[in-house]
Amino acid sequence: MYRFEDTALHPAEVLKWYLDAGVDEAMGEQPLDRYALLQEAQAERALAAEAMLKEAQTAHDTSHVATPMSSPSPGRIGSVPVPVRPADMVDVQKAMKEAVERAAAAKNLDQLRAALETFDGCGLKKNATNLVFGDGNPAARIVLIGEAPGADEDRQGVPFVGASGQLLDKMLASIGLDRTNVFLSNTVFWRPPGNRSPNAGEISVCLPFVERMIEIIDPVVLITVGGPATHSLLAHPGSISRLRGQWFTYETPQMSHPIAATAIYHPLNLLSTPAHKRQTWLDLIAIKAKLAEHA
């Protein structure tokens, strides 16, 4: 009488047979579209960033209720994104899907810029004069991402060219850097009307392009400039005063390795609050040291 037990191989022998046959990876019964998974992951990160920005908005609103006598700071200093109206959410999610697909298809910065030039999913584009893509070295070892273009940036189509940009240039020069060895951009690529802060939906729609930009450049260090950029890219709660001076890990599914990331005060903040310059100088020294570690 035939018994299965008489011919069954030991599990170790079965594994050896598979390895000898060249089978070294377990696969599912259904084909797996990893490109689709990548797009889903990007969309999930965009939604997570949007949730983080909304949380910052809620905290901001609560703090203003508790201290009604506090006066707002000029410009966008210490600002948080404007909330998205529920009626706009469907359009935002549709635009996010298109943004993920367009960004993923770009193989270099020129293709990424071209994808943005024909992208109509961000409402900021309608009122802006120019696309403000980025400035600097495409092979930079350090990338800085700020909040949004201002009036000067909108006119010239270049990020950080106003008063805050001039201060940022001096900050970089203090540690031996300039626009020939860094790359500058923002969380959104068009100026918000009236110089307001971009809302969570606008930032989320642009996030896939920002992420792809960082992936293509593949820097050693990522610096988020100001609170909104820090919340959207690093997804850590808390004020910029608490997050600056710390080091985080930034990574996306398309990156071959994680990169070091840190946050600094926005130059506009330093112009209005000079007392923060000492802390920023310490942050710049730490950034210089981090770059030296990867020399």
Side-chain angles (χ1 to χ4, degrees), residues 16 45-46 83 87 89 93 107 110 148 158 188 201 203 221 235 238 276:
K16 183 177 183 302
R45 288 197 306 280
M89 286 308 298
Q93 292 173 359
K107 304 303 181 185
D110 288 338
V158 180
V188 297
I203 292 177
V221 173
H276 288 164

Side-chain angles (χ1 to χ4, degrees), residues 113 116-117 124-133 149-158 188-192:
R113 183 187 183 104
L116 273 165
E117 287 174 342
L124 295 176
K125 182 178 181 179
K126 298 177 182 178
N127 298 309
T129 302
N130 285 302
L131 167 72
V132 184
F133 179 70
D152 293 319
E153 290 78 10
D154 185 41
R155 281 192 294 269
Q156 299 184 39
V158 180
V188 297
F189 299 96
W190 298 274
R191 179 197 180 196

Side-chain angles (χ1 to χ4, degrees), residues 28-265:
E29 296 181 359
Q30 300 296 326
L32 187 61
D33 186 348
R34 297 190 181 277
Y35 291 101
L37 291 178
L38 172 63
Q39 293 179 3
E40 290 176 8
Q42 289 177 316
E44 288 175 1
R45 288 197 306 280
L47 289 171
E50 185 175 352
M52 181 69 67
L53 293 164
K54 288 181 178 179
E55 181 180 334
Q57 172 68 41
T58 301
H60 179 268
D61 291 343
T62 302
S63 66
H64 275 62
V65 170
T67 56
M69 296 302 292
S70 60
S71 58
S73 300
R76 285 194 300 266
I77 299 169
S79 61
V80 293
V82 178
V84 184
R85 297 175 302 175
D88 294 334
M89 286 308 298
V90 174
D91 290 338
V92 167
Q93 292 173 359
K94 180 181 178 182
M96 283 172 54
K97 184 177 185 300
E98 181 185 351
V100 167
E101 294 172 351
R102 283 173 170 262
K107 304 303 181 185
N108 53 54
L109 291 184
D110 288 338
Q111 292 182 8
L112 190 65
R113 183 187 183 104
L116 273 165
E117 287 174 342
T118 57
F119 178 65
D120 297 322
C122 182
L124 295 176
K125 182 178 181 179
K126 298 177 182 178
N127 298 309
T129 302
N130 285 302
L131 167 72
V132 184
F133 179 70
D135 187 36
N137 189 339
R141 298 176 65 234
I142 182 168
V143 169
L144 295 92
I145 304 294
E147 180 183 0
D152 293 319
E153 290 78 10
D154 185 41
R155 281 192 294 269
Q156 299 184 39
V158 180
F160 289 102
V161 293
S164 64
Q166 294 170 19
L167 177 55
L168 181 60
D169 287 341
K170 293 179 180 178
M171 291 163 58
L172 293 173
S174 70
I175 55 172
L177 298 174
D178 57 34
R179 299 196 184 211
T180 65
N181 47 29
V182 305
F183 196 88
L184 308 172
S185 191
N186 286 294
T187 58
V188 297
F189 299 96
W190 298 274
R191 179 197 180 196
N195 221 35
R196 67 163 172 79
S197 289
N199 67 41
E202 292 159 351
I203 292 177
S204 297
V205 165
C206 291
L207 184 60
F209 295 103
V210 178
E211 288 188 337
R212 186 64 184 136
M213 176 186 290
I214 297 169
E215 291 168 355
I216 291 171
I217 297 173
D218 191 24
V220 171
V221 173
L222 169 66
I223 300 178
T224 54
V225 184
T230 301
H231 293 143
S232 62
L233 282 173
L234 304 186
H236 280 276
S239 65
I240 185 64
S241 61
R242 293 191 177 190
L243 295 174
R244 56 140 298 273
Q246 301 184 52
W247 285 97
F248 306 92
T249 297
Y250 178 82
E251 188 175 18
T252 70
Q254 291 236 145
M255 294 175 66
S256 60
H257 59 89
I259 60 176
T262 191
I264 63 173
Y265 284 115

